[in-house]
Amino acid sequence: MGLRQVGELLETSLYMSETTEKRIALVTGAGRGIGKSIAELLASKGHHVICISRSESSCGAVADAINAGGGSAESRALDVADKAAVKEACEALLEKHGNIDILVNNAGITRDGLLFRMSDDDWDDVIETNLSSCFTFIKYLARPMTRKRWGRIINMASVIGLTGNAGQANYAAAKAGMIGLTKSLAKEFAARNVTVNAVAPGFIATDMTAELNEKQQEAIVGIIPMKRMGEAKDIAATTAFLASEDAGYITGQVFTVDGGMVM
Ligand code: NAP
């Protein structure tokens, strides 16, 4: 074989490193913001995407737009904090698809307040929606992944889970809990070729951060070395990489995507 042929062969194998295999992906909180961007990006890579959010109007619109654009998606309205509803949905989806290959636990809420003013409901709602939902989805969807010996689980944490934040004890506890869950399950599933990673976004321009007033937003941008909030597509890109074949040897990690805020 001549040098030129070796070069051509190397080039071909480089471009073949990303599989074209179509995977089944499930994204929670896919109706808006970061989850919507993740659903769209995974669909653009040829995967079938199951879009889940609280209201059918939001996840349904995302799935419709993906299908209209030539991709493949379906939607399911569901409260991720409702364990019985998640179990029922997971069983139905496994029956239909046989397996979910990529699970992105992205749905999340905030209910901010200083501790003495934080109600029991504010605590419970944030823990159940952000953290317990990850446990429930993984519990029902990971077993078939381990049997298939291929799976990607990505949990949407937050830099707040790494640093803490006054007024967000519930949210910080939920996100830190997601990181502990990620690392533990990475160890449990590694030998079965199922990776479990977390993404920790900094401040990203979505409906969630639009709740902050102008003064709060200015203060936040002031502490970001890149001097701007991130975009949903920044988080989608990291998530899609972790869901890819190329990320197959990465597990138990937390990827901070925050314009340099937490180093
Ligand atoms: P967002 O714009 O508020 O969108 C949240 C999505 O989650 C919506 O689609 C919503 O459904 C869905 N959702 C909320 N509660 C749900 C429930 N109980 N059941 C089912 N779906 C539910 O939020 P985002 O900013 O994109 O944030 C996405 C994730 O990133 C969250 O976990 C958040 O904590 C995390 N994060 C965000 C930032 C940020 O700066 N934005 C920073 C760090 C981490 P509907 O559309 O039906 O309402």
Side-chain angles (χ1 to χ4, degrees), residues 29-35 52-55 58 78-81 106-109 129-130 156-159 171 175 201-204 206-209:
R32 290 180 282 130
I34 292 169
I52 287 183
S53 73
R54 247 175 327 208
S55 59
S58 74
L78 172 69
D79 177 359
V80 297
N106 164 79
I109 55 165
T129 305
N130 292 272
M156 199 55 63
S158 167
V159 289
Y171 186 73
K175 295 304 188 185
F203 287 92
I204 310 301
T206 67
D207 290 349
M208 187 177 269
T209 42

Side-chain angles (χ1 to χ4, degrees), residues 207-222:
D207 290 349
M208 187 177 269
T209 42
E211 282 173 16
L212 302 166
N213 64 38
E214 209 173 308
K215 217 173 141 197
Q216 288 170 314
Q217 294 201 23
E218 269 171 28
I220 286 165
V221 169

Side-chain angles (χ1 to χ4, degrees), residues 41-263:
L41 187 56
L42 290 176
S44 78
K45 293 184 179 295
H47 303 306
H48 175 76
V49 184
I50 301 156
C51 302
I52 287 183
S53 73
R54 247 175 327 208
S55 59
E56 179 55 38
S57 60
S58 74
C59 60
V62 173
D64 287 349
I66 288 172
N67 289 322
S72 172
E74 66 186 270
S75 63
R76 192 173 265 261
L78 172 69
D79 177 359
V80 297
D82 181 340
K83 290 187 170 67
V86 172
K87 179 176 190 278
E88 195 188 320
C90 289
E91 284 171 353
L93 289 166
L94 288 174
E95 176 95 23
K96 181 175 176 186
H97 296 287
N99 199 68
I100 305 296
D101 304 301
I102 299 165
L103 167 64
V104 183
N105 285 310
N106 164 79
I109 55 165
T110 52
R111 295 278 183 274
D112 298 350
L114 294 170
L115 188 86
F116 296 133
R117 284 190 224 138
M118 187 175 285
S119 70
D120 289 355
D121 281 349
D122 289 343
W123 175 268
D124 291 342
D125 288 351
V126 168
I127 297 292
E128 292 295 315
T129 305
N130 292 272
L131 174 60
S132 303
S133 65
C134 298
F135 164 74
T136 320
F137 272 99
I138 296 170
K139 186 170 155 181
Y140 294 116
L141 299 180
R143 195 186 292 277
M145 286 183 191
T146 62
R147 278 201 208 105
K148 190 177 172 184
R149 286 186 156 60
W150 200 98
R152 300 280 190 266
I153 298 169
I154 297 130
N155 297 319
M156 199 55 63
S158 167
V159 289
I160 301 302
L162 298 169
T163 63
N165 195 23
Q168 288 196 303
N170 50 0
Y171 186 73
K175 295 304 188 185
M178 286 170 71
I179 291 170
L181 179 77
T182 298
K183 288 174 183 280
S184 301
L185 297 184
K187 288 184 175 167
E188 287 190 26
F189 300 155
R192 301 295 178 113
N193 199 35
V194 174
T195 67
V196 191
N197 290 292
V199 178
F203 287 92
I204 310 301
T206 67
D207 290 349
M208 187 177 269
T209 42
E211 282 173 16
L212 302 166
N213 64 38
E214 209 173 308
K215 217 173 141 197
Q216 288 170 314
Q217 294 201 23
E218 269 171 28
I220 286 165
V221 169
I223 56 163
I224 301 172
M226 286 192 167
K227 297 295 171 215
R228 64 170 178 89
M229 278 202 191
E231 293 175 39
K233 68 177 172 57
D234 297 321
I235 307 304
T238 305
T239 306
F241 168 65
L242 290 171
S244 72
E245 300 296 323
D246 288 341
Y249 198 53
I250 301 172
T251 196
Q253 303 304 310
V254 184
F255 287 79
T256 303
V257 184
D258 67 348
M261 204 169 60
V262 178
M263 293 193 194

